[in-house]
Each structure stands twice: as structure tokens, then as C-alpha cells.
Amino acid sequence: MPDFSFDNTYVRDLPGFYTAWQPEPSLNPELLYLNLTLAEQLGLDLTEYDKTALAELFAGKSLPEGAEPIAQVYAGHQFGHFNPQLGDGRALIIGEVIDNQGKRFDIGYKGSGKTPFSRGGDGKAAIGPMLREVLIGEAMHALGVPTTRSLAVTATGEQVFRDRQQPGAVLTRVAASHIRIGTFQFFSAQGEHDEVRRLADYSIARHDPELAAAENPYLEFLGAVTQRQAELVAHWMSLGFIHGVMNTDNVSIAGETIDYGPCAFMEAYDPNAVFSSIDEQGRYAYQNQPRIAQWNLARFAETLLPLLAEDQQEAVDLANQVVQPFSDTYQKCWLEKMCAKLGLELKAESGERDKAMVEEWLELLQAQKVDFTMAWRRLADAAEGQPTGLQELFTEAAAIDAWLSKWQVRCDEEDSTDTKMVSEQLRENRGKAMRAINPWLIPRNHRVEEALAAASNEGDLGPFELLLSALEQPYEENAEWERFAEPATPDFTARYQTFCGT
Ligand code: AMP
Ligand code: MG
């Protein structure tokens, strides 16, 4: 077995926050996916182990030395309704490792069998959804978005029962930690404020050690979690990512995107886009994500109130001072990202004007149902004096032409302050910078489904592997992968549905 050099602080420091539990051994595990780059980053040398040994390891059949598998307990607001008892119903954390940069990560299984928190579920996962988590999560990582990662997927050799029988799988997930807003809520809801304090102390030591010495470390911690959420959601919005199930048990206090269930990327720009089959009210639609993030943070703040100040009113006032500015913080993160996508530098004096320009651009995309990813990408060509590709995406020329003239004036203004460079060079630099932030490739829903169907129904991993290698370089145009960059038909997108907890 490879040497993980586990150092399990959660197990050691937080008894009562989990149940020690063993994975259900798979009958006949087969390795489907292994992320060797990530393994190397984590200091795991897997090269000398054969496929059978690795399959047994990543199916939970044989645990590495030092593993102490646990199911974490947590609660959570699901679609706005509080559930006081959730917890890892089909996941186990097997231990913590330190990567080659000195960063600590949890390694865990998903789909490794029932736990005391399974609540009637089977504790299992199917191949399709686990490979989907690999594709979308690894794409998010390549796009630069903080996210949990996928280290391995094994087929278990068993069938799981969903709407139909499907081959079972175990995903090995890597996360900065699995502490969620819901973890705090579990103890807070039971009035166990000392436990909340222990969890907060642990979280600060793990994620924000520099705050430990602050006058009010819990308030600062609330601020740090708020800041990370603002940045994360702004990043999602800038790429057209829809998480799909922003329940408080799916919000990591480390600020990583976690729980790739019903998520999807938007195609034609539509602020109301929602794909999750159970999200009938559109609570987690694209444009609601910032508002929901703030709602979730308010729930988080509530759990910390007894730690913030002895006087209840004072505690509430302090929490409000941190959570209420979320919308401004988010707006700033969003505008920074959007301006960079437009090839502009956000400055105080031009901020309002740039914001109006972003909004106008988005309105144009929406009105003419233009593909979000392609429009931004082709704007980089326009920055280099080649607007035709972009103009072709719009059905009516007049509005986009008028917008482009305004944008060009703004670009020229910015360039006029740089007298050292000739304009040709400035244009090229702008185009290049825009291509480094506006991806050529995102995981297109139809291509993801194609790859998963081949893997799940025919046992053919070829399309999955090809798509994954393309998604690992989302900012580079590659003629070979042209078909992955093509939008789905509007009809496909209109009918497309994604699912939770599959
Ligand atoms: P999710 O929608 O994946 O965030 O899951 C919500 C809750 O349901 C978590 O507590 C999960 O552990 C649990 N859960 C999801 N799928 C299963 C399953 N197949 N068996 C047991 N628990 C599950
Ligand atoms: Mg979850």
C-alpha cells in the first residue's frame, strides 16, 4: 500500500463530531480513473502498484496504513428547510495528508456504503454521476475555480438501483476540508455552543491560522468565510456555472466548490437558467446564487452568535456588520472579474460606467440568446480588431455594433495612458489577457452526457478520457477538440435535466 503519511487532526481533536466507520468492501473493484498529477501533488507515489492493488485501495477494500475512516455528522438547510440531522450518508473521510506545498487535505470515499447517517439511502453511488464529478470538478480546477478534486474512481462490480440498475462506483475525493456551514448548524441547533466553539477553533487553526490572535477571532473568521464565498460565487457567475444545490450542507467553509450533483454550465445566456430536476421554484437558478450565498452566510452567522459577544444584541450587530456587506463585496468581486473579461482594468473613476457596460453586454446576450462562453471568447478577437466572429453570434447587428463602438472607446482610453507601447502591441496584449480568463472550452452538457452514457451503458471510457484531457486545457484553442466547444442545440438545453444525490 502506498504511504499516505496520514495525520488525522479531525479524528484527534474533535471526538463527538463523527462516527468511526468502515467502508463496505466492493466485490470486484476495477480502476476506472486515476489522477496521477494530483497524486503527485499529494506526495503519493502510486507508480509501483499494479491496477488490482490500486483498485482495492480506491474502492475501500484495503485501507492504507494510518487510515481512520469516519462519517462526519452535519445538519443543513435544504431548499430553505432545516434538517437537523444529515451527515455523511454515503461518504467516509479516511484521513488527512499534507501536500508538497505544506497544505492539508482530506481524502475520502464517496459511494463506499451505508453509514449511521444514511437515512434510508443505500450508501452507494453509480458510475455516471461519479465520472461526472471528475469531469466537472477537474474542469473547474483547470478554469482556476477553488474546488474539491477527484483522485480516483473505481467500479465496484455491483449494481446500484436508481431509476434503473446502474453499475456502482466509488469516487475518491480530495478537499481542503469537509467542514460545512451545516457542520456548525448541527451543534448550534442542539444548543451545544461549546462544541460550536471547538469546531470554530479547529476551523480557524486549519484554514485561517493568522486569525487566532485577533481580538475577536470568531468575527474575523465569519468575515473570512464571507469573503471566500463572495469570491467563489463571483467566479462561478463569471463562467456561467450553476451549482444547482446550494444547501447549507453543501457550502464548504474553506471556500471550495463542493458536491457536484445537479450542477451544469449555462449555454445561451439566461439569468433564470436552472437544470436541477427537483428545483421547481428555481431557488438555485443562475442569477439567484449570490443572494442564496448571503442567505447561507446568515445561517452560518447565527451559529456563531454566542461566540461573538456575551450580549446577544451586540453579537447580532457584529454579525450584521460582517454579513450585510456581502452584497457589496460580491459586487466588487463580480465587477473585477467582468471587467477583466472585457479586457479592462477596474478603476474607481470608471467603475460605474464599466458596470453599465457589462450590464448592457449581458442584456444583449440574453435578448439575442447568445452562447455565454463563445461570446466572451470571441470578444478577445474583437479586441485584436477581428469582430466578425463575435458579430456572427448575434442575429441583429445594430445593437452589438453600437456596444462594440462604446467598448472600443473605453479600451482606447485605457490604452492612451500607456504611451510607451504602440497600439498594435496593446491590442495583442489585451486579446491575450482576455483569452487567459475567457475559456474556449467549458464542460458542455451534451458532451458530458455523451461521455457518461458511453462509460455507463457500454463500458467505453474512451469518450470520457478524451473529453477530460480537453477540459484540462480550457483556455487553449485546439482544432482536434472543436466538437467539445460547440454549443448544444437550444432544444437539448431546454430539455436538459440534472439530478441530486444520484
Ligand atoms: P447531497 O444531495 O449529495 O448533498 O446529499 C444530501 C444528503 O443525503 C447527505 O447527507 C448525503 O450523505 C445523503 N445521501 C445522498 N445520497 C445518498 C445515498 N445514496 N445513500 C445515503 N445517503 C445519501
Ligand atoms: Mg451534500
Side-chain angles (χ1 to χ4, degrees):
M1 277 288 115
D3 176 14
F4 279 70
S5 301
F6 283 121
D7 175 41
N8 305 329
T9 59
Y10 201 88
V11 168
R12 225 164 37 227
D13 298 350
L14 294 174
F17 287 68
Y18 59 85
T19 300
W21 204 256
Q22 292 295 315
E24 252 173 57
S26 313
L27 284 178
N28 195 10
E30 186 196 341
L31 193 63
L32 301 182
Y33 166 71
L34 182 62
N35 190 338
L36 281 173
T37 321
L38 178 57
E40 205 180 300
Q41 182 203 318
L42 296 172
L44 302 176
D45 183 9
L46 304 180
T47 46
E48 53 187 278
Y49 299 92
D50 64 21
K51 267 199 141 182
T52 315
L54 292 173
E56 292 190 351
L57 162 64
F58 291 117
K61 196 171 175 181
S62 53
L63 289 170
E65 201 186 310
E68 295 174 280
I70 56 166
Q72 287 181 331
V73 67
Y74 51 85
H77 274 91
Q78 301 184 299
F79 289 90
H81 303 286
F82 187 62
N83 189 331
Q85 167 84 64
L86 292 165
D88 290 329
R90 56 163 175 173
L92 293 174
I93 294 164
I94 64 165
E96 297 162 31
V97 297
I98 315 279
D99 81 349
N100 52 24
Q101 307 284 320
K103 277 185 72 184
R104 179 177 296 273
F105 289 94
D106 281 356
I107 299 195
Y109 299 133
K110 188 164 166 182
S112 51
K114 277 189 196 164
T115 76
F117 309 121
S118 295
R119 299 175 301 137
D122 62 0
K124 301 286 170 74
I127 282 185
M130 295 306 103
L131 293 180
R132 192 170 190 276
E133 173 150 348
V134 176
L135 284 175
I136 304 193
E138 291 305 294
M140 290 288 268
H141 173 73
L143 288 164
V145 185
T147 175
T148 63
R149 307 276 312 269
S150 299
L151 181 59
V153 177
T154 53
T156 58
E158 295 154 30
Q159 296 292 309
V160 296
F161 298 90
R162 296 293 179 260
D163 53 332
R164 59 195 163 90
Q165 269 198 17
Q166 291 187 35
V170 174
L171 169 85
T172 302
R173 177 164 70 177
V174 178
S177 84
H178 286 81
I179 305 168
R180 309 138 193 271
I181 289 181
T183 321
F184 284 82
Q185 287 182 295
F186 177 82
F187 296 97
S188 170
Q190 310 212 13
E192 294 177 358
H193 302 305
D194 287 344
E195 303 296 77
V196 175
R197 186 185 299 273
R198 285 173 61 207
L199 183 60
D201 288 340
Y202 176 88
S203 304
I204 290 169
R206 183 156 174 179
H207 295 298
D208 299 287
E210 68 288 355
L211 304 182
E215 198 184 322
N216 191 337
Y218 307 115
L219 189 65
E220 300 282 336
F221 177 54
L222 176 60
V225 174
T226 303
Q227 179 70 32
R228 286 194 282 265
Q229 279 301 306
E231 284 168 17
L232 181 68
V233 176
H235 215 150
W236 291 353
M237 299 299 279
S238 76
L239 292 163
F241 177 76
I242 305 159
H243 182 279
V245 61
M246 289 176 71
N247 294 337
T248 56
D249 52 302
N250 291 337
V251 180
S252 154
I253 56 130
E256 289 182 336
T257 312
I258 187 168
D259 238 324
Y260 289 92
C263 62
F265 278 79
M266 187 156 75
E267 297 247 317
Y269 182 67
D270 171 12
N272 294 312
V274 52
F275 295 104
S276 168
S277 62
I278 58 167
D279 192 1
E280 282 157 17
Q281 312 290 318
R283 178 180 170 90
Y284 299 138
Y286 172 79
Q287 69 176 352
N288 291 345
Q289 298 185 115
R291 204 168 46 77
I292 291 292
Q294 184 166 20
W295 190 89
N296 289 340
L297 287 163
R299 304 290 77 74
F300 180 48
E302 283 163 6
T303 72
L304 297 179
L305 287 178
L307 316 189
L308 296 181
E310 266 176 39
D311 179 70
Q312 207 178 352
Q313 190 54 48
E314 191 190 339
V316 171
D317 292 343
L318 285 171
N320 277 335
Q321 281 165 28
V322 174
V323 177
Q324 272 176 2
F326 173 89
S327 38
D328 290 340
T329 314
Y330 165 77
Q331 273 292 324
K332 189 165 169 284
C333 294
W334 177 82
L335 192 55
E336 245 164 40
K337 282 249 167 333
M338 288 300 181
C339 281
K341 283 169 79 76
L342 286 182
L344 302 172
E345 202 183 316
L346 178 62
K347 291 205 184 94
E349 64 273 19
S350 50
E352 279 307 309
R353 198 174 132 205
D354 290 349
K355 187 169 172 226
M357 195 149 60
V358 175
E359 281 165 356
E360 227 178 283
W361 160 255
L362 293 176
E363 276 163 28
L364 274 175
L365 298 187
Q366 185 182 359
Q368 302 197 33
K369 300 189 168 55
V370 178
D371 186 84
F372 187 68
T373 307
M374 280 177 113
W376 287 106
R377 183 73 181 189
R378 292 190 184 180
L379 191 59
D381 301 332
E384 290 174 347
Q386 312 277 346
T388 332
L390 175 66
Q391 287 161 324
E392 279 168 4
L393 297 176
F394 292 80
T395 40
E396 289 161 33
I400 183 62
D401 288 351
W403 184 89
L404 275 173
S405 312
K406 256 196 281 186
W407 170 71
Q408 197 57 59
V409 169
R410 173 69 178 82
C411 293
D412 293 343
E413 268 173 34
E414 190 166 295
D415 292 350
S416 67
T417 58
D418 197 331
T419 46
K420 289 192 291 297
M421 264 199 250
V422 291
S423 61
E424 189 66 21
Q425 217 171 352
L426 286 163
R427 280 178 172 192
E428 247 177 58
N429 288 353
R430 173 169 289 113
K432 216 168 145 193
M434 289 171 73
R435 280 189 204 95
I437 184 171
N438 293 307
W440 177 68
L441 194 63
I442 51 155
R444 299 264 177 193
N445 302 319
H446 59 313
R447 298 305 181 215
V448 169
E449 293 308 322
E450 238 172 49
L452 298 183
S456 200
N457 304 339
E458 291 145 44
D460 177 8
L461 287 166
F464 161 81
E465 284 163 0
L466 201 63
L467 179 57
L468 182 61
S469 40
L471 290 170
E472 281 166 356
Q473 292 173 36
Y475 295 104
E476 272 164 51
E477 265 161 73
N478 185 330
E480 244 179 90
W481 292 331
E482 198 74 55
R483 64 185 295 276
F484 294 145
E486 284 165 11
T489 61
D491 188 44
F492 176 94
T493 302
R495 282 183 291 110
Y496 188 57
Q497 278 204 323
T498 56
F499 302 92
C500 278
T502 37

